[in-house]
Each structure stands twice: as structure tokens, then as C-alpha cells.
Amino acid sequence: AFSSPGLLVLVPSTTTTKTTSSIRMSASSSPPSTSSTSSTSTTFAINTKYKIQPKYKSEFLKVMKDVATKSETSLQYVVGQGYDEDENTFYVHEEYETRSQYDDIHCSTKSEHYETMKQFFDTEKPFDEEPTVDMFALCHDYDGPHSSKTAKEGEEVVCLNVELCIHPTIRQEFLKCIRQNKAGSDNEPKCLQYTWGENGNEPNTFHFHERYVGEDGLSAHNDAPHFKVWEEFAGEGEPFGRDPVVQKFRELLL
């Protein structure tokens, strides 16, 4: 059974693996556009999946901690780890005010910590497979993590990165449904973040990043009325152009 964005209990984090450009190639991708969604947001976001060789895991986490703690110009930098058999797979969500801000950091040597990361990736070849990189422009005004809602010390934050490719014929219905889902999710006590946007290189391909306080927060989202509306939409006909990609991971406090 499939339910998303939000419900991952029935879908393992490795449901679908898609082939995309490596992180070194991603910087040359075309900037996403939000014109077709009537959004004025210029916020640029990236979801990345890294599958690391076990012997490089400690060094990888050291590099990512350095980046996460020194990324002063990013709006958000989240690093997470897959569950159980997926423990050598790591997920990153980044947000920047604009695409050009991202390029200034990643495509030049202005940032020492990003240069260190690039050198590690280029010289050590730590990956079991090439990273997958999804770049997208937010389809809503930037709201970031909800500052009024935080996980208590010791509580796990469950994160989701989702990709949905929908048929153009149901685009408007999809947008209406997802906007409603976001509005409802933003009011959930244990939903820390519900961010979504469209891929600038692949029209009608949408990416999501969601954060919940523990499994209880995720379950509450799955049981919410607005999510039931989404489930009904996703279950009618065949709205998806290809299989959804759903990834579940826990946020790391680096």
C-alpha cells in the first residue's frame, strides 16, 4: 500500500532508488522555477541521499558535522541517518534564500568547510553508489522549521524526504490537495516542518521534506483529516507518472 507525503510506516525507505546526477554535477543544473505554482518564493532546497561505505562512516559524519555547524548562510541544514539495515545511508536537507546563494557556497572556494567536504568526496570515494540529488524551489513562502514547536531533549525527530511525479492532467487537483495538506500539517502539534516544492528540471515532479516529533507525531499526521483527503486523492486512478520515492530517517544532532 502507498500513502505519502507523510505516511512511511508501510513503505520502506529504500522503496525506489532513482539514478540522478552526482553531487559534483548537481551545481550545473538549471534553477527551478515557481511561476507555474503562483508562488513568489525564491527559496531553494536540496534533498540528498548518501550511501556510505562502512569504513568511511566516521569520517563522513565528521565532515558533515563541520558543514552543518558552519553553514552560516544556509537557512537550514539537516543531516539524518536511515534506520536498521539502512544505517549506512544518510540524508541531507538544505535550504537557501536563493539559488545564487547556494551556488556562491558550493561552486566556489569561498567556503572552507565546503571545500573540505568536496576534497573528501573527490579523494576518498566513500560511496557505495553515487549520491542522489534533488533540487527544487519551494511552492510556498519560506516558513522553515516551526520555531514554536521543538522536540524535547531525548525525543527522536523522524524525517521524511519524498518525491512524487504526477501526471500533468491532474496537476491542479494535486496542488490543491497538497496545499490543504500543508495547511493542516502546519497546525499539528508534533509536525515540526512540512516543506515542498517543484523540480525545476522536471515539471510535475515534486519533492518534500517533513519532520515530526517521534513516531507518535508521524502517526498523528497519518490520522489527521487533511491526510485522509490526500489518501483518497492518491488512491483514485493512477495519479503518478512513476513510482513514488519515499525515504524515512532520524535526524542526527551533530
Side-chain angles (χ1 to χ4, degrees), residues 102-165:
Y102 168 85
D103 288 341
D104 285 345
I105 298 170
H106 287 264
C107 304
S108 70
T109 57
K110 295 179 183 178
S111 174
E112 181 180 348
H113 49 283
Y114 276 102
E115 181 64 20
T116 300
M117 180 178 71
K118 182 178 182 300
Q119 289 177 359
F120 171 70
F121 287 171
D122 286 345
T123 58
E124 298 297 337
K125 309 299 182 186
F127 307 116
D128 270 341
E129 59 186 46
E130 284 294 306
T132 58
V133 183
D134 295 314
M135 296 182 168
F136 55 103
L138 268 59
C139 291
H140 53 87
D141 291 337
Y142 173 75
D143 50 10
H146 298 297
S147 58
S148 62
K149 295 183 287 186
T150 59
K152 297 178 182 178
E153 184 176 355
E155 287 185 316
E156 184 174 82
V157 175
V158 178
C159 301
L160 315 177
N161 283 350
V162 179
E163 178 196 87
L164 300 177
C165 178

Side-chain angles (χ1 to χ4, degrees), residues 49-200:
K49 173 186 174 183
Y50 299 101
K51 192 169 184 179
I52 302 296
Q53 296 182 40
K55 65 179 180 179
Y56 290 116
K57 184 163 72 173
S58 295
E59 183 64 20
F60 172 80
L61 288 173
K62 180 180 177 182
V63 170
M64 299 309 290
K65 178 180 180 179
D66 190 49
V67 173
T69 55
K70 295 179 180 179
S71 296
E72 300 92 350
T73 55
S74 63
L75 295 172
Q76 185 178 21
Y77 200 97
V78 174
V79 180
Q81 182 179 23
Y83 288 92
D84 302 329
E85 70 277 0
D86 200 30
E87 65 179 9
N88 292 316
T89 301
F90 296 86
Y91 303 89
V92 175
H93 175 75
E94 307 169 61
E95 293 186 21
Y96 300 86
E97 290 183 358
T98 62
R99 170 63 191 261
S100 61
Q101 185 187 59
Y102 168 85
D103 288 341
D104 285 345
I105 298 170
H106 287 264
C107 304
S108 70
T109 57
K110 295 179 183 178
S111 174
E112 181 180 348
H113 49 283
Y114 276 102
E115 181 64 20
T116 300
M117 180 178 71
K118 182 178 182 300
Q119 289 177 359
F120 171 70
F121 287 171
D122 286 345
T123 58
E124 298 297 337
K125 309 299 182 186
F127 307 116
D128 270 341
E129 59 186 46
E130 284 294 306
T132 58
V133 183
D134 295 314
M135 296 182 168
F136 55 103
L138 268 59
C139 291
H140 53 87
D141 291 337
Y142 173 75
D143 50 10
H146 298 297
S147 58
S148 62
K149 295 183 287 186
T150 59
K152 297 178 182 178
E153 184 176 355
E155 287 185 316
E156 184 174 82
V157 175
V158 178
C159 301
L160 315 177
N161 283 350
V162 179
E163 178 196 87
L164 300 177
C165 178
I166 57 102
H167 289 300
T169 54
I170 53 93
R171 176 185 176 87
Q172 295 307 316
E173 292 88 343
F174 170 83
L175 292 175
K176 179 180 178 180
C177 185
I178 291 301
R179 287 174 181 136
Q180 178 181 349
N181 201 12
K182 174 174 173 54
S185 299
D186 286 346
N187 288 320
E188 294 173 19
K190 292 191 174 184
C191 177
L192 302 178
Q193 184 174 1
Y194 189 101
T195 294
W196 68 286
E198 184 170 12
N199 190 306

Side-chain angles (χ1 to χ4, degrees), residues 213-227:
V213 179
E215 293 291 346
D216 288 346
L218 180 57
S219 296
H221 174 73
N222 297 338
D223 292 335
H226 48 272
F227 186 76

